[in-house]
Amino acid sequence: MQDVPFSPVIRSVGLNGLLVTFGDRATDAANRAAIAFRSAVDAHGWPEVGESSSTLVSAFFRVDLSEHRFDDMRARLEEVLATQDWNDVALPTGRALWTIPAVFGGERAPQLNEAAEAAGLSAEAALGQLTRTRLRVLTLGFAPGQPYLGTLGPDWDIPRQVGLTPNVPAGALVAAVRQVCLFAKDTPTGWRHVGQSAFACFRPNGATPFPLAPGDEVQFADISAKELAQIEAHNADGSGGAVREVLE
C-alpha cells in the first residue's frame, strides 16, 4: 500500500452518522489515520456518538442525525482533524501484539505452494515471509470479529483465485492482495488457504467477544500439524495458544 497525501473528507451516512475518509484507496497512511482518528474522537467521549468503527481508510461515528445537526457534528470533527497532520500520524497506544501459532501448508493448509508460486517465491521463502512479517489488523469485517491483516511485501500482491474454494474452516489463514485474512467461521473463499490456526476471532460468551481490534499487530508462529491438534484438543477459551502483549 503506497502512501499518497490526502485531505480528509466528512460525509453523512443517511441519518445514521458521519464517515471521515482519509483516502480513495487502501494505503498504510490512510489506514493509520482512520484508526488514530477514531481513537482521538473516542477519547472525547461525546454523548452524541453511540459507537464508532474504522475501515481500511475511514472512521465511522454513529450519530442520530435526526436529533443532532450534521453541520454541528461535522464542525466538531473538523476541530479534531485540525489538531495534527493525519498523513503522518502515529497509531494509538494500548494496542496489542498477538503471537498466533499456525500450521502452514500440508493437509491443513493446502494452498501454500500455489500461493508461493503466484508470489514468485519458494514455499520456504513464502513461509518465512508469512511468519517474519508483523501484520496490522487493518479492519474487522465480513464476519463478526474477522480481521484483515496487512501488509505483506509486494511479492504478495497476488490476485484472488478465478474459482471459489467451497469451504475453509474457522481459523484459516487465507492470502491475496498483500493481505492475510484470519477467518472467524467456516466459509467459501476466493483467497488461497495458506495456514491454519485454532484462534477464535469471535467469542460471543467471552468478556471480549472480538479479541482483535484495528491497530493491533499479529505475528504468526509456525507449528506442526500435531501441535495444532494438541492445541485444538484443549481450546475451550478459543485462544488457540496465542500470546498477547500490550504495546506501549
Side-chain angles (χ1 to χ4, degrees):
M1 297 191 295
Q2 184 177 0
D3 293 343
V4 293
F6 56 79
S7 296
V9 177
I10 302 175
R11 302 181 178 91
S12 63
V13 183
L15 295 176
N16 294 319
L18 297 93
L19 187 72
V20 184
T21 301
F22 294 91
D24 58 4
R25 61 191 181 90
T27 66
D28 180 72
N31 184 251
R32 277 189 285 108
I35 293 169
F37 185 72
R38 175 195 179 190
S39 177
V41 172
D42 285 351
H44 286 280
W46 295 339
E48 297 87 351
V49 178
E51 65 176 336
S52 68
S53 60
S54 61
T55 70
L56 291 176
V57 299
S58 302
F60 171 73
F61 304 96
R62 182 169 62 81
V63 177
D64 186 348
L65 294 179
S66 67
E67 293 189 9
H68 307 287
R69 294 181 67 246
F70 169 73
D71 288 343
D72 293 341
M73 296 304 302
R74 177 176 61 186
R76 293 166 74 175
L77 292 173
E78 287 173 341
E79 289 179 1
V80 180
L81 286 171
T83 60
Q84 59 182 300
D85 178 8
W86 297 91
N87 283 284
D88 190 29
V89 67
L91 288 164
T93 58
R95 298 172 298 114
L97 167 63
W98 296 83
T99 302
I100 301 177
V103 171
F104 291 89
E107 294 182 359
R108 298 298 304 268
Q111 292 178 296
L112 175 64
N113 289 346
E114 182 182 328
E117 183 178 356
L121 301 168
S122 66
E124 182 179 0
L127 172 60
Q129 291 191 20
L130 288 167
T131 54
R132 287 196 302 268
T133 305
R134 187 183 288 191
L135 300 169
R136 181 193 309 154
V137 179
L138 304 172
T139 190
L140 303 179
F142 185 74
Q146 181 164 299
Y148 288 81
L149 307 170
T151 306
L152 291 167
D155 290 338
W156 286 93
D157 193 14
I158 61 176
R160 297 166 180 82
Q161 302 175 104
V162 175
L164 191 69
T165 301
N167 189 68
V168 294
L173 315 180
V174 297
V177 292
R178 298 185 65 183
Q179 295 178 30
V180 172
C181 191
L182 174 53
F183 276 166
K185 58 183 293 184
D186 295 10
T187 187
T189 184
W191 294 31
R192 291 174 175 86
H193 186 187
V194 299
Q196 183 64 46
S197 76
F199 187 87
C201 300
F202 180 40
R203 306 174 191 175
N205 298 319
T208 305
F210 300 162
L212 299 174
D216 282 356
E217 298 182 15
V218 173
Q219 189 154 20
F220 294 108
D222 181 31
I223 61 173
S224 68
K226 182 178 179 180
E227 289 171 313
L228 178 61
Q230 292 171 340
I231 290 172
E232 290 171 330
H234 304 88
N235 195 36
D237 62 357
S239 66
V243 175
R244 182 182 184 274
E245 304 172 56
V246 176
L247 296 171
E248 300 296 334

